[in-house]
Amino acid sequence: MAQSVGIKDVARAAGVSVGTVSNVFNRPETVAGETRARVLSAIDRLGYVRSESARQLRAGRSRIMGLLVLDMGNPFFVDVARGAERAARDAGLGVMVCNSAQNAAEEAEYLSLFAEQRVRGVLLTPADATGRNIAAFRRHGIPFVLVDRVAEGTTECSVSVDDVAGGALAVRHLVDAGHRSIAYVSGPPGLNQVRDRRAGALNALAEAGLGPDALRELPTERLDVAAGRDAGARLLGLADRPTAVFCANDLLALGVLQALYAAGVVVPDDLAIVGYDDIEFAAAAAVPLTSVRQPAVTMGALAAELLLEETEAGTEGGAGRHEHRRVVLQPELVVRRSSLAAR
């Protein structure tokens, strides 16, 4: 694990005393301009983040674990947080939960906050498709585990669900029900989960001898109910409307369902719907929603346990070197009335 950059490292790189670095932070007017510029350059070059929790760390390691999710308005991530909090509490830790709101800039700000607070470790569902935020955070030496995302191109631990298999489950179910033209309300194309669920959908169509043109994709900028309503309006406007729709998550599906209901379209007789996540509201919808279930609580708990293993490995009495693992859980199709009309 990379070593965190400290104030002594900054002082050494800038060729000044630790006291001078401290003065740059606390009494910059007492430091000559050229010296101050040299210290600030060293801080930027080394990626040093001032620790506001230094007093706590002098007494022992942080007892806080960070959790950064895409959308705390989505009950799926609430369940992930419940699982992580349970595992953290069993280990005597607390969880600082933050919401990136599917925004890469907000994600970067929260990761900086975690670094500033020197949290024990971070559970992260990335919003930044470029990977730049992860690369910048990695240099602080704080362990992290990816949640609901496979650790492609990284060495860190991850806990995810096989979304390719999940997409295949959803569309195979619709094909078996007789549907040959299916819409995919997909969400932001930069998210791996969205792409993997689409890949699974195409696999299921290929198994049935159908080409990729049998899937009509309707991308959205967000993964929420409002975006689903907008996608539902677009779906209703198609001249050759598909007979079924697969949505990348349940919030999108509930929004589509609202748009169809308002237009007098009967679900599932006129159009079948399948969602993804199996949040609590799926079963309670006006037309109970067929959905691909993810074990969200288990995912959060496993991710927290992996993070705890890593942070304990190098401590006195720990098990030594930590080996990163990728845990991939399997999804399950839960069939309800929204997809059950015979064709």
Side-chain angles (χ1 to χ4, degrees):
M1 186 174 70
Q3 294 297 312
S4 178
V5 175
I7 193 169
K8 291 182 180 178
D9 301 305
V10 174
R12 188 180 306 113
V16 299
S17 69
V18 169
T20 298
V21 177
S22 179
N23 284 338
V24 169
F25 283 121
N26 301 306
R27 295 188 299 159
E29 70 279 0
T30 67
V31 182
E34 181 180 346
T35 303
R36 187 166 63 247
R38 197 161 69 246
V39 170
L40 292 174
S41 175
I43 288 169
D44 182 68
R45 188 169 66 253
L46 296 175
Y48 173 74
V49 175
R50 188 184 186 192
S51 175
E52 299 297 334
S53 55
R55 184 176 303 175
Q56 176 184 330
L57 291 180
R58 280 195 290 271
R61 293 187 304 154
S62 171
R63 296 179 59 244
I64 298 297
M65 178 186 297
L67 171 62
L68 182 55
V69 299
L70 289 178
D71 180 11
M72 279 306 294
N74 186 339
F76 166 75
F77 287 111
V78 174
D79 286 342
V80 169
R82 283 200 299 122
E85 190 274 336
R86 185 181 304 163
R89 186 178 65 242
D90 289 345
L93 302 182
V95 178
M96 181 192 298
V97 182
C98 297
N99 176 27
S100 72
Q102 303 173 45
N103 183 290
E106 292 190 31
E107 175 182 81
E109 290 177 6
Y110 280 123
L111 289 174
S112 292
L113 174 65
F114 289 151
E116 180 180 317
Q117 296 299 320
R118 295 291 194 265
V119 297
R120 178 78 64 92
V122 173
L123 307 178
L124 170 65
T125 303
D128 176 24
T130 69
R132 285 192 290 266
N133 285 345
I134 288 178
F137 184 70
R138 187 180 286 115
R139 66 184 183 178
H140 298 303
I142 298 174
F144 64 91
V145 174
L146 299 180
V147 185
D148 193 32
R149 167 85 174 268
V150 177
E152 295 173 352
T154 72
T155 59
E156 283 75 25
C157 290
S158 66
V159 181
S160 62
V161 166
D162 188 340
D163 283 319
V164 175
L169 282 175
V171 171
R172 192 178 296 123
H173 167 68
L174 292 171
V175 169
D176 289 345
H179 298 282
R180 295 296 179 267
S181 178
I182 299 168
Y184 176 43
V185 178
S186 61
L191 293 178
N192 283 16
Q193 298 92 325
V194 166
R195 294 198 299 268
D196 287 349
R197 292 166 197 177
R198 179 179 183 274
L202 292 173
N203 288 347
L205 291 174
E207 290 171 7
L210 299 171
D213 57 344
L215 192 72
R216 302 275 294 277
E217 186 165 1
L218 296 172
T220 64
E221 293 184 0
R222 300 183 63 79
L223 290 163
D224 54 25
V225 174
R229 284 195 297 266
D230 175 72
R234 284 185 280 149
L235 178 63
L236 290 168
L238 294 177
D240 184 18
R241 193 167 73 205
T243 60
V245 56
F246 166 44
C247 298
N249 78 358
D250 285 342
L251 295 183
L252 289 172
L254 292 172
V256 170
L257 181 60
Q258 288 178 7
L260 298 181
Y261 181 82
V265 175
V266 179
V267 175
D269 296 349
D270 297 333
L271 196 148
I273 302 179
V274 176
Y276 205 104
D277 289 340
D278 194 35
I279 62 176
E280 184 177 355
F281 300 135
V287 179
L289 184 66
T290 294
S291 185
V292 178
R293 176 179 293 165
Q294 298 199 82
V297 174
T298 299
M299 192 182 305
L302 286 175
E305 289 167 5
L306 286 174
L307 187 61
L308 289 166
E309 284 180 18
E310 181 171 359
T311 60
E312 292 296 329
T315 64
E316 185 176 349
R321 184 174 177 272
H322 171 76
E323 292 189 6
H324 292 301
R325 285 186 285 155
R326 296 181 180 181
V327 178
V328 180
L329 305 173
Q330 291 303 308
E332 173 189 358
L333 182 69
V334 180
V335 179
R336 299 190 181 95
R337 191 155 60 90
S338 71
S339 65
L340 282 180
R343 300 198 67 80

